[in-house]
Amino acid sequence: MVKRKNKKKFYSQNEWDEKILIRGQELLYFLLNANLMISKELNYGIMKKIICLLEKVKGGSDMPEYKNILVPYDGSEHAKKALEHAIGLARISKEGKLYVASVCNMISAMSNFDQVSIAEGCITSKLSEEFEAESRNYLKEGMALVPPDVAAEPLFEIGSPGPVLLQMAEGKNCDLIVMGSRGLGPLKGMFMGSVSSYIVSRAKCPVFVVK
């Protein structure tokens, strides 16, 4: 019986480069999402070195570098995680800037309260002021979480979160949106889980949804 020798497959330079890019991007995604027992600074440092290596492999082209990142923030745990990821992405980019956004969904929030009381005009004005103040406070909280070495700008609007966020992204020429999969919900005048689905299906730029 003749034994067949296993033929070794030889890859071209382009094939090797493609494999390195794929594995490198997989490693970046892992570092971005994994809860490693190392400091954030070290983690971001490792990610930056990987990107530099990938840029050398690809000749400095086709590597995404996000310059304007929109981050909707409503104080929820998902929003905090999204902001943390966005900070990491901004740090590994040469000119990364964050736009921390808060949208007060007044109509959706007030629809959760007793319609008779609202019709009587007893709480409408006060609720509006409270919801707007709360939304602005969340925005301040989000901005305070951004470290000094990362450029950031606050954005605030009153309206329907989905359309307003898309307008913000287009107005600031954002090339990435990073947001939580769920928020505090309309009772807080902020985001619902359905907003992320709305953004993903209609945004003109990539959307990174954090669970």
Side-chain angles (χ1 to χ4, degrees), residues 3 10-11 15 20 22 41 44 52 59 61 68 71 73 75 83 90 92 100 124 127 136 141 144 159 188 190:
K3 292 184 178 179
F10 294 95
Y11 296 100
E15 288 175 324
I20 293 171
I22 292 171
E41 289 75 16
Y44 296 144
C52 289
S61 62
N68 299 308
V71 191
Y73 188 84
L83 181 57
I92 61 179
V100 184
T124 307
L127 277 176
R136 291 186 182 278
E141 175 186 292
K188 293 290 186 180
M190 307 301 285

Side-chain angles (χ1 to χ4, degrees), residues 61-181:
S61 62
D62 297 334
M63 290 302 300
E65 215 172 77
Y66 303 110
K67 294 184 178 180
N68 299 308
I69 305 173
L70 181 70
V71 191
Y73 188 84
D74 67 352
S76 66
E77 287 303 312
H78 286 84
K80 290 176 182 178
K81 288 181 180 179
L83 181 57
E84 185 176 321
H85 286 309
I87 291 170
L89 289 170
R91 272 179 164 163
I92 61 179
S93 177
K94 294 176 182 177
E95 301 176 358
K97 181 177 181 179
L98 300 183
Y99 290 94
V100 184
S102 176
V103 181
C104 183
N105 190 0
M106 200 76 71
I107 296 176
S108 181
M110 294 183 68
S111 66
N112 287 274
F113 291 84
D114 182 66
Q115 296 299 316
V116 175
S117 297
I118 293 176
E120 292 175 352
C122 299
I123 60 174
T124 307
S125 179
K126 186 177 180 181
L127 277 176
S128 298
E129 293 174 1
E130 288 179 357
F131 285 134
E132 182 175 345
E134 189 172 37
S135 300
R136 291 186 182 278
N137 286 336
Y138 282 130
L139 184 57
K140 289 180 182 178
E141 175 186 292
M143 288 296 294
L145 294 174
V146 181
D149 62 314
V150 177
E153 180 181 326
L155 300 176
F156 177 81
E157 288 288 345
I158 296 175
S160 180
V164 169
L165 288 170
L166 291 180
Q167 289 175 4
M168 287 179 172
E170 290 186 28
K172 295 297 182 179
N173 296 317
C174 292
D175 42 22
L176 180 68
I177 299 173
V178 183
M179 64 187 303
S181 58

Side-chain angles (χ1 to χ4, degrees), residues 28-36 43 85 208-211:
L28 281 174
Y29 184 80
F30 168 77
L31 290 171
L32 195 60
N33 289 277
N35 294 317
L36 302 177
N43 195 23
H85 286 309
F208 180 19
V209 180
V210 180
K211 293 184 178 181

